[in-house]
Each structure stands twice: as structure tokens, then as C-alpha cells.
Amino acid sequence: MKTSSRLSRADVWTVIRTDRLTLAADLDGLTDDDWSTPSLCPGWTVHDVLAHIVDTARTGRLSFARDMVIARFDFDRANESGVRRRLRDRPADTVADLRAAADLTRTPPAPIATRLVEAIVHGEDIRRPLGITGSYPTPAVLDALDYQLRTAVSWGGGAERAEGLRLVATDCDYTAGDGETVEGTAVDLLLRFSGRDVG
């Protein structure tokens, strides 16, 4: 498995900015029913996931540490607090908040690849239930997938899920691991080993 990054740090932030603006455009004009659609992220609606994306875009190292202390170091509780903080009464305002955050390059104390995981996985959490097709640069998807495959589930990754499996991307030149073969597009593999049910 390739472990060196395909994208530079500057490239990552370019991908993130583009995806934030693309996602905002994808969500313009949704109905109230659309916004309450369950996302692929268990327990969260499409609007909840969007609020989470806005919150993580605005979270830096110090604010992350503060939020974790307030949440008594419960990562899920901290995420729920972030959703409540950024969830606007009018979903269109949450979309506007995403556009306003497009150029931000803040990040919690984590590898830069986590920003790609956040953008692509949560983007698909929203897009797929709404029937919207996402498009992501292949190097970004593969850097995110590599990160997930070497990171424990307890840290938000999927290393244990991939044990004993050989992953083969059907839409690009990518293989990882040894064992029973699992095939899918690079994005599907990323979602599957990020804990999403994509078949």
C-alpha cells in the first residue's frame, strides 16, 4: 500500500476549497424534506452533516482542544456539540456558512489527509441519499483511502475492517492488502472502510 502522499499540503487545501463550493452549489434549492433526509452517517440528517462540515472547517487546534475538554474527551459528544453550534434554522443559511468557510485552512491536530477524509466521506454522506453524484480528484480519494486503511477504527479509520482483505479499485490503478479480494470504485472503498454501508 502506498503511504506517501500524492498531494502536497497546498494541493489538499485547493481540493477542499473546491469541494466546499461545489457542495454548496449542489445543495442550493433543496426542499425541506430533502434537508431532513437521513444521511449515510448514522443518526444524522443531511442538514446535520452539513453543519458538521461547517464546524470542522472552523475548528483549529485550540478550539478542538477546548471542545474536547468541554466534552470530557468524548469525541462523539464534541461532534454533536459542533453540529448544534452550526445548525441554522434555515438550511440555506448553513449553506451560506459553508461558502463563507470555503477558504479556511484550519485543522485540528491531525494529519492533513483527515481533511480529505472529512470532505469526501461527509460529502458522500450528503450527496448519495439525495441522488447527487459527487466528483473528486482520484489522488485525493486515494490519499484519503490510504489514511483510513492505516488508522484504527477507534481513531476514525478503518484498519481493522480491512484486515485479511485485498482491495482493488475498479476505476483506477490501486490495490492494497492481501487476502480475499474486495472490488469497488476508489470512493466506494473509501466509504466502505470508513464504516458506511455501500454494499
Side-chain angles (χ1 to χ4, degrees), residues 155-171:
W155 287 95
E160 296 91 334
R161 298 184 184 104
E163 288 178 359
L165 299 175
R166 177 175 178 264
L167 279 57
V168 179
T170 56
D171 58 342

Side-chain angles (χ1 to χ4, degrees), residues 97-109:
D97 289 344
L98 179 62
R99 282 195 173 94
D103 290 325
L104 296 178
T105 56
R106 297 175 188 165
T107 180

Side-chain angles (χ1 to χ4, degrees), residues 5-189:
S5 296
R6 297 165 183 81
L7 299 179
S8 69
R9 191 176 186 90
D11 290 338
V12 168
W13 287 118
T14 297
V15 169
I16 299 302
R17 179 185 186 277
T18 299
D19 188 67
R20 286 170 179 166
L21 294 174
T22 301
L23 180 59
D26 286 344
L27 300 179
D28 280 335
L30 293 188
T31 68
D32 289 343
D33 286 344
D34 289 333
W35 284 111
S36 61
T37 300
S39 74
L40 295 185
C41 190
W44 281 359
T45 67
V46 161
H47 194 191
D48 292 334
V49 176
L50 179 62
H52 172 71
I53 292 172
V54 172
D55 190 60
T56 56
R58 295 193 168 279
T59 298
R61 293 172 183 270
L62 291 178
S63 56
F64 176 82
R66 179 203 64 211
D67 290 348
M68 288 299 289
V69 169
I70 292 171
R72 297 192 294 277
F73 299 96
D74 183 317
F75 192 68
D76 290 336
R77 183 181 295 152
N79 280 337
E80 291 289 348
S81 295
V83 168
R84 290 193 300 271
R85 178 167 55 234
R86 302 298 177 184
L87 199 64
R88 303 288 290 271
D89 291 337
R90 295 179 63 250
D93 291 336
T94 315
V95 175
D97 289 344
L98 179 62
R99 282 195 173 94
D103 290 325
L104 296 178
T105 56
R106 297 175 188 165
T107 180
I112 192 68
T114 61
R115 302 306 87 205
L116 295 172
V117 174
E118 284 276 322
I120 299 168
V121 173
H122 286 317
E124 291 297 284
D125 284 340
I126 290 173
R127 288 180 169 111
R128 291 196 178 202
L130 296 174
I132 298 170
T133 301
S135 179
Y136 313 92
T138 297
V141 177
L142 297 183
D143 276 357
L145 178 55
D146 281 345
Y147 177 80
Q148 291 298 78
L149 294 179
R150 65 177 181 263
T151 303
V153 170
S154 61
W155 287 95
E160 296 91 334
R161 298 184 184 104
E163 288 178 359
L165 299 175
R166 177 175 178 264
L167 279 57
V168 179
T170 56
D171 58 342
C172 62
D173 182 16
Y174 181 89
T175 60
D178 295 297
E180 182 181 354
T181 297
V182 175
E183 294 186 342
T185 66
V187 171
D188 279 350
L189 293 174

